[in-house]
Amino acid sequence: MKVFELRFVISYIIVMSGLEEVAKRISEAGVVVISTGAGMSAPSGVPTFRGEDGMWKNYRAEELATPSAFRDNPTRVWEWYNWRREIIGECEPNAGHHAIVEMEEKVDEVEVVTQNVDGLHDRAGSSNIYEVHGNIWRVRCVGCERSEYNYDVPLEEIPLRCECGELLRPDVVWFGESLNEKVLREVYDIIGRCDLFINAGTSSLVMPASQFPVIASRSGAFVVEINLTETPMSNVVDLQLSGDVSEILPALVELV
Ligand code: BJW
Ligand code: ZN
């Protein structure tokens, strides 16, 4: 056997044994938490934040997803959200989203904690979803705090205004802003009592979501990472599955 063939066979065996181990953990688990990031929606065609893919007109997410960017230039920030809403509006949940829904038939309790604002877990049909960074299809008034769903694509006459006269903003969480306290409390509660925690398609760079795997591990859960690359969590997790979430998750659920 040639060297490259041997390497292929070895990496195949490693991936398969990892999948089998995680499938066994899923079948034994009472509560599974799946924490997802932009990589979860990447196979659906939603751009990720970091890397080449995340750029918009030479701006980085860190320069647009902030309260001060909105104060300085609400139109520019809304243009970015319009661009993203147009793309997301054309995207469908992928095989990974569907596999998470299927997992509900095999496990007592499946909880989805997502940093994604695209609503694709909901469209796939997951029952328990915590959107810790909000939802791109909701708008919120900076004055009276009124929040409502708005599916117009593109939104005309940006920046939008509320009936009260103040600006409407996307109902998402920007850098330097706190996450919704009630949602976060519930998330910490389920992380604290889960048996298996799967960190899927996130760079694990943004607080506080980046710390969810650490909290799960300290609470005694078995922690798995699914990602195309290494992340700061790769050394913390019990098992890494290297690959595409839209391939790994269906393969995993099939094995349970
Ligand atoms: C695949 C794949 C495939 C690809 N299969 N894998 C200094 C100043 C101000 C604040 C801070 C500061 N230092 C620290 C902070 C706190 C800050 C923070 O953590 N900053 C870091 C960047 C350093 N956090 C906050 O401010 C948070 N609030 C907070 O902490 O409150 C308390 C506080 C207040 C004030 C000061 C300090 C603390 C709020 C964070 C809100 C983040 N918001 C955004 C935008 C949301 C709205 C929107 O979408 O428009 O959330 S930013 C952006 O990053 C978005 C994402 O949810 C988030 C995470 O990104 P994610 O999902 O990980 O995506 P990527 O692109 O980074 O990675 C994709 C991954 O997928 C990669 O690993 C790929 O390999 C992988 N992948 N395809 C498998 N097919
Ligand atoms: Zn208002």
Side-chain angles (χ1 to χ4, degrees):
M1 196 184 281
K2 296 206 181 82
V3 173
F4 76 88
E5 282 173 341
L6 187 64
R7 266 199 213 136
F8 178 79
V9 170
I10 291 171
S11 60
Y12 180 78
I13 291 168
I14 291 171
V15 170
M16 280 314 289
S17 65
L19 279 176
E20 271 162 17
E21 154 103 45
V22 181
K24 184 165 167 283
R25 299 266 174 185
I26 294 174
S27 65
E28 290 166 358
V31 182
V32 175
V33 172
I34 307 188
S35 182
T36 67
M40 182 76 225
S41 297
S44 295
V46 180
T48 59
F49 289 92
R50 287 157 192 90
E52 277 301 299
D53 202 20
M55 300 296 286
W56 175 77
K57 292 188 182 174
N58 294 324
Y59 293 101
R60 294 181 300 124
E62 288 82 350
E63 294 163 334
L64 292 157
T66 71
S68 63
F70 189 71
R71 262 195 309 275
D72 293 349
N73 196 336
T75 305
R76 180 163 67 209
V77 172
W78 264 121
E79 278 170 356
W80 182 50
Y81 280 94
N82 249 347
W83 172 73
R84 291 175 55 205
R85 285 164 65 108
E86 282 188 47
I87 296 173
I88 293 168
E90 297 287 317
C91 293
E92 298 292 332
N94 63 59
H97 294 104
H98 294 304
I100 295 172
V101 179
E102 258 177 62
M103 204 187 288
E104 290 185 16
E105 283 166 26
K106 309 191 176 192
V107 182
D108 278 353
E109 188 179 339
V110 177
E111 306 280 358
V112 179
V113 175
T114 187
Q115 296 170 74
N116 300 342
V117 298
D118 53 39
L120 289 181
H121 285 294
D122 185 50
R123 284 189 45 207
S126 279
S127 305
N128 310 317
I129 307 166
Y130 299 86
E131 292 178 321
V132 295
H133 289 167
N135 189 299
I136 200 167
W137 299 108
R138 261 193 336 256
V139 296
R140 187 175 85 232
C141 175
V142 299
C144 68
E145 293 281 313
R146 195 171 61 89
S147 153
E148 65 182 20
Y149 280 90
N150 178 328
Y151 292 97
D152 296 348
V153 171
L155 287 161
E156 309 284 354
E157 294 172 38
I158 51 172
L160 299 176
R161 284 200 181 268
C162 177
E163 287 162 5
C164 79
E166 290 286 355
L167 287 174
L168 288 172
R169 58 165 281 180
D171 195 2
V172 298
V173 183
W174 285 329
F175 286 113
E177 294 183 320
S178 301
L179 282 67
N180 181 294
E181 232 174 80
K182 180 170 171 282
V183 172
L184 207 50
R185 245 199 324 271
E186 287 168 350
V187 166
Y188 286 136
D189 173 66
I190 56 169
I191 293 177
R193 61 188 176 78
C194 73
D195 305 298
L196 175 65
F197 182 95
I198 303 176
N199 206 40
T202 171
S203 59
S204 292
L205 291 171
V206 176
M207 293 268 282
S210 56
Q211 297 308 302
F212 294 164
V214 179
I215 297 165
S217 188
R218 284 193 192 139
S219 310
F222 189 82
V223 181
V224 176
E225 175 172 71
I226 308 175
N227 203 306
L228 293 175
T229 62
E230 299 257 315
T231 77
M233 282 302 115
S234 300
N235 295 327
V236 173
V237 303
D238 296 298
L239 199 150
Q240 265 179 286
L241 293 173
S242 170
D244 183 329
V245 282
S246 68
E247 291 168 6
I248 301 243
L249 282 168
L252 210 48
V253 175
E254 177 94 340
L255 283 173
V256 178

